[in-house]
Amino acid sequence: MSGILFHKYGGEDLDSYYPIRPECQADVPKVRFKARAGKTLSARRWHAAFSEDGHLDIAKVLRRIQRGGIHPSIKGLVWEFLLGCYDPNSTFEERNQIRQQRRDSLDQGWHVDGAISDKKVLQWMLGLHQIGLDVVRTDRSLVFYESETNQAKLWDVLAIYSWVDNDIGYVQGMNDICSPMIVLLENEADAFWCFEHTMRRLRENFRTNTGMIGVQSQLSTLSQIIRTIDPKLHQHLEDLDGGEYLFAFRMLMVLFRREFSFVDALYLWELMWAMEYNPNIFSLYESNSSTSDGRQVNDKQLKQCGKFERKNVKTGLPDKTSALSVFLVASVLETKNKKLLREAKGLDDVVKILADITGNLDAKKACNEALKIQKKYLSKSKK
């Protein structure tokens, strides 16, 4: 049905998938994303990308997403692959088994043995209070969260995650990352694993216990990128005491959630994940290996990489700090280059100028600009 709908209404109203509460209409950024027939990955094209036994032609799917995002009717299913929850080379049957195992393991996860320290329990309980405060504030404009059942799902997933991640636990902002998974995936366990896989990319952003903030390594990469591609702007920001780029902290921490409408944030994420996709992501996560070898690909696999990742693989860039999000922030700074040089007399001005992008940023354009900046940065770095 969704495939037919999609062809009939190329620019259909996506608000019907994520309705906004009437009293919040005026406060939310305008939605810019339109599902476009022939560009956006439709339900029909998605189903056609599988072989009879369930092997997914991921290269074909990535091309389509990079052109026009994913239709809302299939977003959750596609995200599970983009985030490495499933291997595109697996069969329907293998994936059903994994899905069932994960659902069972989550049910059993609460029935833990007695060998748990009081300290861990206490730490976890303290985190639950913060989760409770944050859940009621999350995406309040969505009709979806008027339901206490849906709020409870978000609470559950964050509570379980904070228990499982011994090292970092729960940190404010994780609720913004988790919320779309709750909206897109009906089953709580599926939403949890989707969030858990997202956090494998982002958890270092939330590390705050080492005397430095986790986003700092990305901010120093951002500084390096701007210094390389736009020395004049970098010098200007240095003169304003903004050389550490802390004004970009929030954009990186919660992946532009505050700069975009809900629909456009989802569109931006899936574009980024498609561009950063590496076919080894599933086996890398399953083996729990943090070595970079897992990203090495042969020629056949290179064709299954997203545009951004392909470039990284060819040039051998480390993955963590050279994430696409860092180049995205660089592209935002570049679009505001003249205004920053002309009008920013202090850090407050920088923050004000960058705040103008809220609701005015085109996700597709921003990603394409980020790719151009990556190319420019790599060629200048070589010299």
Side-chain angles (χ1 to χ4, degrees), residues 258-272:
R258 313 285 160 79
E259 282 69 34
F260 286 91
S261 67
F262 185 78
V263 172
D264 289 332
L266 305 196
Y267 175 44
L268 176 76
W269 288 6
E270 63 209 19
L271 281 179
M272 286 166 67

Side-chain angles (χ1 to χ4, degrees), residues 98-113:
I98 291 176
R99 176 172 269 124
Q100 202 47 58
Q101 278 166 4
R102 285 182 181 156
R103 287 178 181 180
D104 294 345
S105 75
L106 210 64
D107 288 339
Q108 292 154 12
W110 288 105
H111 309 297
V112 284
D113 59 44

Side-chain angles (χ1 to χ4, degrees), residues 277-345:
Y277 187 78
N278 182 305
N280 289 335
I281 182 175
F282 172 79
S283 50
L284 191 64
Y285 285 170
E286 287 303 297
S287 67
N288 267 324
S289 158
S290 57
T291 60
S292 56
D293 296 354
R295 299 179 75 237
Q296 290 179 355
V297 296
N298 55 37
D299 289 345
K300 184 190 170 201
Q301 289 172 317
L302 195 61
K303 292 189 175 81
Q304 298 176 326
C305 286
K307 289 178 187 174
F308 179 81
E309 177 66 358
R310 209 173 302 153
K311 208 64 168 208
N312 271 357
V313 168
K314 284 179 178 171
T315 51
L317 265 185
D319 59 338
K320 285 274 169 30
T321 52
S322 58
L324 180 54
S325 51
V326 181
F327 287 92
L328 258 170
V329 177
S331 81
V332 168
L333 289 171
E334 282 302 279
T335 57
K336 295 287 179 189
N337 162 309
K338 289 190 174 72
K339 207 171 167 63
L340 287 166
L341 288 172
R342 195 175 56 239
E343 296 173 23
K345 305 285 186 266

Side-chain angles (χ1 to χ4, degrees), residues 195-207:
F195 173 61
E196 193 270 349
H197 277 66
T198 310
M199 286 307 296
R200 289 180 188 229
R201 299 160 177 252
L202 299 176
R203 69 191 287 274
E204 290 305 315
N205 285 2
F206 294 93
R207 189 181 288 285

Side-chain angles (χ1 to χ4, degrees), residues 26-66:
D27 302 324
V28 296
K30 189 169 79 53
V31 173
R32 303 171 71 94
F33 173 67
K34 296 267 188 292
R36 301 185 196 281
K39 285 192 175 171
T40 302
L41 178 67
S42 65
R44 186 178 64 82
R45 287 209 179 248
W46 169 245
H47 296 308
F50 288 95
S51 69
E52 211 171 306
D53 63 351
H55 294 286
L56 175 64
D57 185 343
I58 191 74
K60 192 189 279 184
V61 166
L62 293 177
R63 278 198 300 274
R64 180 66 56 165
I65 298 170
Q66 288 166 156

Side-chain angles (χ1 to χ4, degrees), residues 213-257:
I213 43 173
V215 180
Q216 216 143 9
S217 55
Q218 290 193 333
L219 291 174
S220 66
T221 304
L222 174 63
S223 163
Q224 204 178 317
I225 292 167
I226 298 295
R227 191 188 294 124
T228 307
I229 64 159
D230 193 341
K232 197 173 170 189
L233 177 61
H234 178 74
Q235 189 54 55
H236 182 58
L237 292 169
E238 283 262 75
D239 296 342
L240 301 177
D241 266 352
E244 291 186 344
Y245 289 76
L246 285 171
F247 49 79
F249 176 85
R250 194 182 70 182
M251 291 186 224
L252 289 170
M253 182 94 160
V254 292
L255 281 190
F256 292 87
R257 272 297 316 265

